[in-house]
Amino acid sequence: MTYIIVAILIVSLFLIATERHTNINKAAVSVFACTLGWVLYVCFGSDFVASQHSAEYLSFLDGVKPNSTAVKMYIAQDILLPYIGHAAEIVLFLVATMSIVNILYNNGCFDFLTLWIRTRNSKLLLWKLTAVAFFMSANLDNTATIVIMLTVTNAILIRTKDRMIYGAMVMTAVSFGGALTVIGDPVGLVLWNKGAITATDYTLSMLLPCLIAWTLPTAYMTLRLPDTVEVERATLPYRGDDTTLNIWQRLLMFLVGIGGLWFIPTFHDITKLPPFLGALCVLSLLWIVNELFNRKIFRVERSLRSDIPQQMQYNTIQKILYIIGVILALGVVAETGAMNWLAHHVDRFVGNVWGIGATAALASTVLDNFASFMTLVSLHDVSATDAYYGVGGDYWKAVSFGGAVGGSILCIGSIAGVMMMRMQGVSLKWYIRNITPLTLTAGIIAFIVLCLQLQA
């Protein structure tokens, strides 16, 4: 049965990698794979429990005679539930941060970006767009950032060709900005929740490689751009009666939302509580400020219209389901003992920071970077004795950055890249011809810098 469960995972990973060709949603694939895997695991639960959790199961029985019902209860309560808890921590954090973005967006807190960024100087425009995308993605989820920044990009630029070039560079900045912090991307968030990294050490290790991976392609692209670019007129979007906030109120809400997200690592370090509780705390404070500032609207039984781009809401739901499916699917494979076999062979053939990072990058090039990342992370627990797998260990950082590099080499390797292709009308062939050489070169240089830092 172990072979069948592993085969289900392999087929599901193949379908995830070929989503663009099969048109089968990867969220649906991951959810179905995890459901089927756990059903098969329960059906043969006695064998798996006896081989993997015999001592814990005897303690659970507490003298009661083993039976099929007891096995199923043990699997549900002591094996499956911890994986659900891990997935819930990620999902609740994403729900809280996306709600924060929703409130800020609906109140026009990002509207000033369009006016500030707009310029006819093509090179300055590119640096402004990518810089804002880079630092925003370090604070917000990549899905929210890419939608906001591409919306800003399309509000500024007129020509489709310009939107494709600038949109691709914005996507690259978002990918490496998200890799900079523990809250910028689910990859860092998983490692943080796992206890494999600390927020400050992780950011300091990633800072220089991420800056290199963002600035090198951007600098080269500015050499290929003309001096000027056609832009739309500078106007703020009309919002009707859905908000009455003035500039200082919008700025205050922006500071509460973004500043609160920056405080989450400190909240976690002080309280040792899960990061999602800090995100929910920030959401509640921003929610209260929103209610106070818009009380006139709420008093007359009107609500803020949901002006947030529809693709952000739809893709967030898909992302949440996809994350749940991947974590639970890999969890059931781990419970069969197959991950121990894979970990042994991975350590044998690529048992160093260079090899594991290259493996993560290669896998993320064709497979979604979260799925490839979770597969490699699932191979090992955080070690108290081995520095390579310990807190802040080289293994976790190499896997994380390698996944970001792979996701930028081919844009189909990340959710941000896929969304960019849809919103900007970018084809994979165009991306490979115009962007891949830049991101590949910069990614290799940045990864070498990271490895030298880790081994110093």
Side-chain angles (χ1 to χ4, degrees):
M1 185 51 61
T2 298
Y3 294 112
I4 296 177
I5 294 177
V6 172
I8 292 172
L9 178 65
I10 294 174
V11 172
S12 65
L13 291 177
F14 174 78
L15 292 175
I16 289 171
T18 58
E19 177 190 23
R20 186 170 178 81
H21 303 286
T22 62
N23 291 321
I24 301 176
N25 192 291
K26 61 185 178 184
V29 171
S30 66
V31 171
F32 180 77
C34 81
T35 304
L36 182 58
W38 280 104
V39 168
L40 293 176
Y41 185 90
V42 167
C43 291
F44 293 84
S46 298
D47 297 334
F48 289 122
V49 169
S51 62
Q52 301 294 322
H53 303 278
S54 58
E56 296 89 342
Y57 181 51
L58 290 176
S59 178
F60 172 81
L61 290 174
D62 194 22
V64 178
K65 186 178 180 180
N67 55 70
S68 61
T69 302
V71 170
K72 293 176 182 177
M73 290 180 61
Y74 175 75
I75 292 173
Q77 296 177 17
D78 289 54
I79 299 180
L80 175 59
L81 196 57
Y83 288 103
I84 295 176
H86 296 324
E89 287 185 330
I90 308 299
V91 168
L92 287 172
F93 188 92
L94 291 176
V95 169
T97 54
M98 288 304 301
S99 299
I100 290 171
V101 173
N102 199 335
I103 293 174
L104 294 177
Y105 192 95
N106 283 346
N107 282 285
C109 296
F110 297 109
D111 288 351
F112 67 90
L113 288 177
T114 304
L115 294 181
W116 178 76
I117 292 175
R118 181 187 179 275
T119 175
R120 295 197 66 213
N121 186 322
S122 61
K123 297 174 176 55
L124 180 59
L125 178 62
L126 181 61
W127 279 110
K128 280 186 174 182
L129 282 170
T130 56
V132 172
F134 182 85
F135 290 106
M136 185 181 292
S137 63
N139 297 277
L140 303 179
D141 176 73
N142 283 2
T143 302
T145 303
I146 193 67
V147 172
I148 291 172
M149 291 309 302
L150 291 183
T151 301
V152 171
T153 300
N154 293 342
I156 295 174
L157 297 171
I158 296 175
R159 299 194 306 168
T160 301
K161 182 179 179 181
D162 293 333
R163 291 180 175 182
M164 293 168 63
I165 294 173
Y166 283 77
M169 299 312 298
V170 164
M171 188 278 294
T172 301
V174 167
S175 297
F176 291 104
L180 179 62
T181 65
V182 295
I183 63 174
D185 188 79
V187 168
L189 188 59
V190 168
L191 290 177
W192 194 27
N193 283 329
K194 186 183 179 73
I197 57 175
T198 59
T200 302
D201 175 69
Y202 180 78
T203 297
L204 291 176
S205 299
M206 293 293 179
L207 180 58
L208 184 57
C210 286
L211 286 174
I212 292 173
W214 156 49
T215 56
L216 284 185
T218 304
Y220 182 82
M221 186 59 70
T222 57
L223 302 177
R224 299 170 56 182
L225 294 175
D227 293 333
T228 60
V229 64
E230 294 184 48
V231 296
E232 297 279 5
R233 293 179 58 187
T235 56
L236 284 174
Y238 174 70
R239 293 188 174 276
D241 297 326
D242 65 333
T243 182
T244 59
L245 302 190
N246 54 38
I247 294 177
W248 75 264
Q249 288 175 321
R250 294 182 184 185
L251 181 60
L252 178 59
M253 291 192 68
F254 183 83
L255 292 176
V256 171
I258 303 301
L261 291 175
W262 269 100
F263 180 72
I264 292 175
T266 304
F267 171 89
H268 174 68
D269 289 339
I270 294 174
T271 65
K272 306 304 179 185
L273 293 171
F276 76 85
L277 283 175
L280 290 175
C281 179
V282 176
L283 172 61
S284 63
L285 291 175
L286 184 63
W287 200 336
I288 291 171
V289 174
N290 179 43
E291 294 275 343
L292 293 175
F293 283 172
N294 291 287
R295 59 182 179 274
K296 292 183 179 179
I297 294 178
F298 292 118
R299 188 177 299 153
V300 294
E301 298 182 355
R302 285 185 295 167
S303 60
L304 296 175
R305 64 188 172 95
S306 181
D307 192 36
I308 198 166
Q310 191 175 26
Q311 61 264 36
M312 187 188 297
Q313 298 177 351
Y314 178 65
N315 282 281
T316 299
I317 295 173
Q318 286 191 73
K319 186 174 185 177
I320 288 173
L321 293 173
Y322 174 65
I323 288 173
I324 293 174
V326 168
I327 292 176
L328 295 184
L330 289 171
V332 69
V333 173
E335 290 302 325
T336 64
M339 285 299 184
N340 294 330
W341 176 87
L342 181 59
H344 171 73
H345 285 79
V346 169
D347 292 343
R348 178 182 176 186
F349 293 106
V350 290
N352 58 73
V353 67
W354 299 87
I356 199 65
T359 301
L362 182 62
S364 299
T365 301
V366 294
L367 183 63
D368 178 87
N369 62 346
F370 183 78
S372 58
F373 161 81
M374 284 302 303
T375 301
L376 292 172
V377 166
S378 300
L379 299 181
H380 298 281
D381 293 324
V382 181
S383 174
T385 56
D386 190 340
Y388 185 61
Y389 300 110
V391 179
D394 296 350
Y395 179 83
W396 314 115
K397 297 172 184 176
V399 169
S400 177
F401 191 76
V405 171
S408 66
I409 293 175
L410 290 183
C411 51
I412 58 174
S414 67
I415 295 177
V418 173
M419 293 182 66
M420 183 275 297
M421 295 175 70
R422 293 173 181 172
M423 293 182 66
Q424 306 303 96
V426 171
S427 66
L428 182 59
K429 182 179 179 180
W430 181 91
Y431 188 91
I432 293 174
R433 185 173 64 249
N434 294 278
I435 307 298
T436 294
L438 305 181
T439 55
L440 176 60
T441 303
I444 292 174
I445 295 173
F447 181 69
I448 291 174
V449 170
L450 175 66
C451 291
L452 294 176
Q453 283 184 173
L454 296 178
Q455 296 181 343

